[in-house]
Amino acid sequence: MLLLPPRLVLATDRLSHVNRPAIALLAHFTFTTSNRRCFSAVISRRSQWQQVSVPTRTNGAIKLDILPASTPASPILVYLPSGPLLPNHSEEEESVISTLAESSRATIARINYRASPEHQYPTPFHDVLFGYDWILDNLVHPEAGPVLRNPRRARLAVCGELMGASLATMLALTECRRAEDGIIAAAVNNPIVDWVFPDDLSYPSELPEPVRPDETQFPADQDLMTWWAPEGEQVPGPTPAPQLILDPASEPVQKGQKRAPKPSAPTSWQLHADNDILPTLTLSAERDVLFRKPEDYFDRFVSPIHFFRSPHGYLVYPYSHHGMASSSPSEQPTDPFDWETRMAIDHFDSFDAPWVSDLPTLARCRAYARIYPPSGSRLALPRWHIATGTQSPLHDQAAELAKMVKRSIARQTLRANEHRDLWHDPAEKAKYETYAEQRVNLHASDGTGLWTQPGDNPNWKSQVGIAGTWIGDLLRQA
């Protein structure tokens, strides 16, 4: 079992750091972090890039690429690569980073996390956290000298696409403590925020309850702070007078009679499953390679949308996982020929027997809302620039992330200003929702919207430029 970095406990406090400009060229040096971690790094000059090797305790080392900005006291943008989902796109990613550096005028720190069959989860987000710690301790450290020292707290941004956007979302949701160094802006493109993919789940007419009770009893789609009936629904009141029914098909449902379930609208996962650039089959296959076991899909650091709601599914284990299923028979054959006979019989019986997997399967269940950030925490959610494509199978994930973050920001702001958790009336609700809308931008471009696929997205450069300018402006205002 890998040892988790201390920051994975959300309530863990960390010492503050002081803002520092871009990294200076050094030959060999050792850093001691506030978490009592020691890093040794060797920086080599490669064109304008500076490469750093950062040990990850007992799990090898990762490479960080630093692209210093032209100005001495520039802000820092953490970039997380797209990961193994798109092959042969290193040159396109270099172009994305160059555009981000030019438009944001920030120092770019790329964390080359590992994600492969040899480095499955949780290695990727451990690598990101170790790399992020190194950035805090060495790019925003007070030991730069009195001329470069800045007593202000460091304000960073994070950016990524696909798997990198998933890790960027995790980092932005957890490294945003008030009065400390942290993330104040996140730009993510086509983030994978839920590894429990829709095609894994069946859609029964009656959704079962989760196996275990969750944090709240409110459905995931319901606003926890609204006490009145949502728009379009009737508030309970007197029974209306009988009406003349001209069309029997339009007859209202009587009391006690169940209304027929409405057919669910097709999801972006279903509509764009055969997308040429990003087919769902590829996403599912990569997931099987990157995870050791299905239980890992439900980790909140792996599927960040689970910070805001419980999963839409649960694991159903086959009978062979039951203790009685693996018990030995009471009588064992003693004659060796009995074994051969038994094997022959089993061989021929297997042609007619159905195939049974020893792996657990996913079944759909009700999802319930979760309160994040938790009450009493010092987390303050950053600003968001969420991008996706109208034909991307991940469009719905990006839209849900935007919706959940907006709702959380509105709730947290109301609690901070008014010290309560329920709206007074629709006008107050609209006021705080407008504020949340200003802090979370959702952009959907044509196609898949991937920045690293210029053939499918000819406007990628302007889209990346908009995100970079947005990041640069926020970092300089902080």
Side-chain angles (χ1 to χ4, degrees):
M1 178 178 179
L2 293 176
L3 188 61
L4 297 180
R7 65 169 6 88
L8 287 181
V9 181
L10 294 181
T12 301
D13 290 336
R14 56 180 303 151
L15 298 177
S16 299
H17 300 270
V18 182
N19 190 29
R20 176 181 175 177
I23 187 171
L25 285 176
L26 299 174
H28 299 273
F29 51 90
T30 300
F31 299 96
T32 303
T33 71
S34 61
N35 286 328
R36 300 175 182 268
R37 276 186 263 181
C38 293
F39 297 97
S40 65
V42 179
I43 298 182
S44 62
R45 184 114 179 147
R46 177 174 56 87
S47 183
Q48 297 181 3
W49 289 90
Q50 303 166 17
Q51 192 171 86
V52 182
S53 179
V54 178
T56 57
R57 290 187 177 175
T58 60
N59 193 25
I62 59 172
K63 301 292 185 182
L64 269 66
D65 295 322
I66 313 299
L67 180 59
S70 56
T71 55
S74 61
I76 296 171
L77 168 58
V78 180
Y79 182 83
L80 303 178
S82 303
L85 301 178
L86 298 175
N88 304 322
H89 64 284
S90 58
E91 292 184 5
E92 290 82 358
E93 197 139 49
E94 294 286 342
S95 299
V96 169
I97 295 176
S98 298
T99 304
L100 282 172
E102 180 181 355
S103 56
S104 67
R105 293 178 295 157
T107 292
I108 308 294
R110 177 171 62 187
I111 302 175
N112 297 302
Y113 61 88
R114 297 163 296 175
S116 66
E118 295 77 24
H119 299 97
Q120 297 172 306
Y121 274 93
T123 297
F125 68 78
H126 286 179
D127 287 352
V128 169
L129 294 178
F130 277 111
Y132 180 73
D133 276 348
W134 188 93
I135 291 169
L136 287 181
D137 294 325
N138 299 287
L139 300 191
V140 290
H141 197 275
E143 295 177 356
V147 177
L148 301 177
R149 186 174 300 170
N150 189 336
R152 296 180 61 189
R153 295 184 299 273
R155 293 291 181 259
L156 297 88
V158 64
C159 180
E161 181 178 81
L162 293 176
M163 189 172 171
S166 173
L167 295 166
T169 301
M170 175 274 296
L171 198 66
L173 291 176
T174 56
E175 295 297 327
C176 54
R177 295 177 181 86
R178 293 187 179 92
E180 295 185 14
D181 300 334
I183 305 294
I184 66 164
V188 293
N189 184 22
N190 278 289
I192 305 174
V193 293
D194 191 355
W195 288 92
V196 182
F197 294 150
D199 59 355
D200 298 322
L201 307 172
S202 59
Y203 286 80
S205 57
E206 291 291 336
L207 289 178
E209 293 293 326
V211 177
R212 298 178 182 86
D214 213 84
E215 299 172 8
T216 73
Q217 295 181 341
F218 293 92
D221 293 334
Q222 182 175 334
D223 186 354
L224 304 181
M225 306 168 67
T226 303
W227 52 267
W228 59 84
E231 184 179 356
E233 295 185 9
Q234 293 291 334
V235 179
T239 303
Q243 297 179 354
L244 179 63
I245 304 299
L246 300 178
D247 182 5
S250 64
E251 183 175 355
V253 178
Q254 300 297 325
K255 185 177 181 181
Q257 179 182 354
K258 287 188 176 181
R259 187 183 299 273
K262 295 182 180 180
S264 57
T267 64
S268 63
W269 188 271
Q270 297 169 331
L271 289 173
H272 311 298
D274 298 326
N275 184 281
D276 294 336
I277 305 297
L278 196 66
T280 59
L281 187 62
T282 297
L283 292 172
S284 297
E286 287 292 339
R287 184 191 61 179
D288 294 341
V289 170
L290 295 173
F291 290 88
R292 292 185 176 90
K293 54 186 183 301
E295 288 84 354
D296 293 338
Y297 309 160
F298 298 87
D299 190 302
R300 301 186 194 193
F301 287 87
V302 173
S303 296
I305 200 67
H306 295 169
F307 281 113
F308 302 102
R309 63 156 173 83
S310 63
H312 281 301
Y314 65 97
L315 290 172
V316 179
Y317 293 89
Y319 182 72
S320 60
H321 284 221
H322 195 278
M324 294 182 63
S326 59
S327 60
S328 301
S330 57
E331 296 183 2
Q332 299 287 348
T334 57
D335 190 341
F337 291 101
D338 289 346
W339 287 111
E340 295 180 6
T341 304
R342 184 75 267 166
M343 290 173 63
I345 293 174
D346 290 344
H347 169 72
F348 288 105
D349 286 347
S350 65
F351 287 101
D352 298 324
W355 179 80
V356 179
S357 171
D358 288 335
L359 296 176
T361 57
L362 281 164
R364 192 170 181 84
C365 65
R366 298 181 187 274
Y368 289 96
R370 290 171 172 170
I371 298 176
Y372 191 85
S375 300
S377 72
R378 294 184 294 122
L379 299 175
L381 296 185
R383 302 278 292 269
W384 292 81
H385 178 98
I386 304 173
T388 185
T390 56
Q391 298 177 18
S392 170
L394 299 172
H395 177 278
D396 289 352
Q397 292 205 21
E400 185 184 18
L401 175 64
K403 173 184 175 181
M404 292 298 186
V405 173
K406 289 176 185 177
R407 183 178 294 176
S408 179
I409 290 175
R411 179 177 62 246
Q412 190 176 37
T413 308
L414 175 70
R415 186 187 301 131
N417 293 345
E418 307 294 341
H419 305 288
R420 50 184 166 83
D421 294 322
L422 293 176
W423 310 117
H424 267 331
D425 49 45
E428 183 180 63
K429 181 175 183 288
K431 170 187 172 183
Y432 282 93
E433 286 180 344
T434 300
Y435 171 77
E437 288 279 350
Q438 297 170 352
R439 298 186 65 83
V440 182
N441 304 321
L442 177 64
H443 301 271
S445 57
D446 295 335
T448 57
L450 293 172
W451 295 335
T452 53
Q453 296 297 310
D456 177 69
N457 185 11
N459 298 321
W460 71 269
K461 191 175 183 67
S462 63
Q463 295 167 9
V464 175
I466 291 173
T469 302
W470 175 83
I471 288 172
D473 292 343
L474 288 178
L475 291 177
R476 286 172 175 79
Q477 293 171 8

